[in-house]
Structure formats: C-alpha cells, structure tokens
Amino acid sequence: MTLSSYDLLEQLSNIDGPSGYEWAVGSFVARQLDGVAAVEYDNLGSVICRLDGPPGGPRIMLAAHTDEVGFMVQRITEQGYLKLSPLGGWWDQVLLAQPLRVLTSRGPVPGVLGAKPPHLVEADERAKVVELKKMFLDVGATDAKQAREQFGINPGDPVVPATACTRMANPDRLLGKAWDDRAGVAVMMETIRELSGAQSPNTVYGAGTAQEEVGLRGAQTAVQSISPDVALVLEVAICGDMPGIDDDVSEVKLGGGPTIYLKEGSAIPNLRLRDLAIETARELDMPLQFSVLDRGGTDAGKIHVHAGGVPSLVLSLPARHIHAHHGIIDLNDYAQTVKLTVELVKRLDADTVAGLLPA
C-alpha cells in the first residue's frame, strides 16, 4: 500500500535508527519501494533503489541519509546507571532530563538522562551547562546486574530519543525526531515513485546512506557502488526564523519553500546544476530559499569528489531544532521539495548532464 506523505513522514520519523544501527530504516525503504525499483544494499548498510531508464542514459544519484543522531551505551555503573557515548553531534544543553530508550536485543528499555540535582550543586556550578560526560541514563535498575541480566542491556547498545511524531495545532507542521534526515529520505522515496510513472531520460538511484552523522561514511560506499554522473543530495536546512538569529546568519524560514545550499562545510555545488535548479523553480513558480553552512557537512562532501568528480547539489527543506529530541518541518515545504526534485531529475538528459561539465 502506498503511504500518504503524512503517513510516510510519520513512520520514518518514528523508526529508531542512530548511526551504525540504521538497518530498520533501510528495510522500511526497501519494503515501500518493492516492485517500484530494484533494491540492494551495500556492505555498510546503505540501501540503493534503482529505477531503470533508457540504456546509456545518465546515472542520477538521489542521496539521503537514513541515520539519526543518537548514543550508545559506553558502560554500566555498579549502581545500574548507563554512561553514554554520542553518535553524531549533540549540543549538551538540549540533553538533560530528556527521555531516551535503549534498544536492546530483547526490546526497548525506557530511561531518562539525569545529573546531580541543582539542590546539591554549588552556585557557580549551577550557572554552567552540564556536559554529557557528567550525565547518566537512569533506567530504573537497582544495580548493574539487573540492568544486564533482567533488562538485557549491554555496552554498545544504541540509545535514541523517546519521541513520537505529532501533528501540531497548525496542521501543516509536524513535530518529531530525526527529520535530519528522514525528511530527505521521504523526498527520495516519493521522487522515485513519481518518476516510476513518467518517461525519464536517465537511470535514477535512490540511496539511503548509512552513518552520515559520524563522517559521511555511507555516502562514500554508496557512490562507489553507483558511480553517478550527477548527484542530488536531499537534506534539511537550518531555519533562522526564530528569536536570536538574524538574516545574516540564516534567512531560511519554515514554510518558505525548498532550499539550495550555496555552500556547506564539505562541498560547493556545481554552479550549472545550481542554476538549473533555480531556473526549474522559477518555471514552476515555486518559492526558493538559499542557505550557507560554514560548519558541518552533507553527503555531498564524499559524493562530489568521487572518481574524477560528480556534479552535485544539495536540495533541502527547512527544519527547526535539528540534532535535538524534537524538530519541526512544514508539509508545504516538503511537497514543494518533492516536486522540484522530480522536475529537476526529468531535465537531466544526456545533453544537459554533459553541459554541467567544464567546457
């Protein structure tokens, strides 16, 4: 059964898949696209969905990472508390007192991140942000033995936010975890479905890449498997429409439409591909936003330097509060990003792709 956009986003957000443990997301992608595209996996766990076009046509890669930021159990203390190691970039300020769940081989175990209470902390220490290394996950165990033997918790077990996707009072807005980058995964999946019923001048590879949050690792293996002629990386863009952020830092607004990265910390886009995307949005009478990210990177960082180089562009939809337990996206932004991606892929015929290369 084909899911609606809302149901697809909700289910993708609710799947637990931190870096290195994202197979459940890849399996979901494979099930949903079964019969639509040929599906395989690389040895790192990235899922690759191939939609065949005319023989000899360009190979177009749509990349979106399946992993989310999370943690793993580093050790279990004698008292039964868990010390955590981060998987991906967390800001310690958003962590304390948040509910988490440990994904054990026996099933999920709920807990809450704790630290020494303020009543027992000196005044000068109270003003400081508590670091993750000083926190612990309280799963309610009486001691280490109960945590291990009764709860089934082991060092190395993944840990994720205990968050469920919710439609907000504004029905166009979704509150949930892992929009970075399950929203991009959803765009990739819907683009593949849309293109499966159309005449496309190329073969399209939808890649749900693994371990992006810990070093763009799945992008490196997936691009080697695909060897694309062009790559579109489908991501989220950091919103600036909130208190404390001025337009010089980010002009991206939730509900303002799809976003093109003019640069990010690991890649500068192919300028002709960038201009083609801008022209396509203009012809669709679609709003378009622009983002610059000086720190951090996307899968484009590995993809664009593959072999002799791959013309690449990062298309994204705005998201608030990424790398946290809850984020917000807008369904109108999502729908427009899908439409822009579909139309852009349709224009990437052999002559257009050849024109992206240096003359």
Side-chain angles (χ1 to χ4, degrees), residues 261-342:
Y261 273 94
L262 300 176
K263 73 167 186 175
E264 40 95 344
S266 65
I268 297 171
N270 176 280
L271 300 186
R272 292 172 182 173
L273 183 57
R274 179 204 65 188
D275 290 346
L276 179 62
I278 294 171
E279 177 187 342
T280 302
R282 184 179 299 120
E283 291 181 9
L284 293 171
D285 195 25
M286 180 183 293
L288 192 61
Q289 305 188 87
F290 300 96
S291 180
V292 170
L293 189 64
D294 290 324
R295 294 186 303 277
T298 72
D299 278 343
K302 295 293 186 182
I303 293 169
H304 83 292
V305 294
H306 171 69
V310 179
S312 301
L313 178 70
V314 182
L315 293 178
S316 55
L317 62 146
R320 291 179 184 160
H321 321 302
I322 68 168
H323 287 220
H325 292 70
H326 304 82
I328 302 174
I329 61 170
D330 186 281
L331 287 170
N332 296 308
D333 291 333
Y334 172 78
Q336 290 173 335
T337 304
V338 172
K339 185 175 182 179
L340 177 58
T341 306
V342 169

Side-chain angles (χ1 to χ4, degrees), residues 245-266:
I245 304 177
D246 61 40
D247 286 349
D248 288 338
V249 176
S250 174
E251 291 186 285
V252 176
K253 295 176 173 57
L254 202 64
T259 304
I260 287 177
Y261 273 94
L262 300 176
K263 73 167 186 175
E264 40 95 344
S266 65

Side-chain angles (χ1 to χ4, degrees), residues 193-217:
R193 282 198 174 277
E194 290 276 344
L195 291 170
S196 68
Q199 291 289 334
S200 187
N202 42 52
T203 292
V204 181
Y205 294 81
T209 61
Q211 298 190 38
E212 189 266 1
E213 296 291 0
V214 291
L216 318 182
R217 297 169 187 173

Side-chain angles (χ1 to χ4, degrees), residues 29-149:
V29 173
R31 290 194 305 273
Q32 290 298 314
L33 293 181
D34 181 42
V36 178
V39 179
E40 61 183 23
Y41 297 87
D42 72 14
N43 292 339
L44 200 67
S46 295
V47 59
I48 300 172
C49 310
R50 187 186 77 249
L51 188 63
D52 289 323
R59 300 158 70 92
I60 311 301
M61 180 180 185
L62 306 178
H65 67 88
T66 54
D67 60 321
E68 62 186 291
V69 292
F71 309 89
M72 72 161 59
V73 177
Q74 181 171 333
R75 72 181 186 93
I76 305 172
T77 73
E78 291 183 5
Q79 295 171 298
Y81 297 109
L82 311 184
K83 300 295 288 186
L84 304 182
S85 177
L87 294 170
W90 284 96
W91 191 27
D92 290 347
Q93 194 155 308
V94 306
L95 297 179
L96 193 58
Q98 291 287 352
L100 301 175
R101 52 178 169 254
V102 186
L103 308 180
T104 79
S105 60
R106 301 182 194 172
V109 175
V112 63
L113 267 175
K116 188 163 57 173
H119 313 75
L120 306 179
V121 173
E122 297 297 331
D124 60 336
E125 191 178 349
R126 238 179 277 148
K128 299 176 183 177
V129 174
V130 180
E131 297 176 305
L132 175 61
K133 64 183 180 182
K134 294 183 178 180
M135 299 181 198
F136 49 81
L137 184 61
D138 188 345
V139 294
T142 56
D143 54 26
K145 182 178 180 180
Q146 185 180 47
R148 285 194 304 266
E149 298 181 7

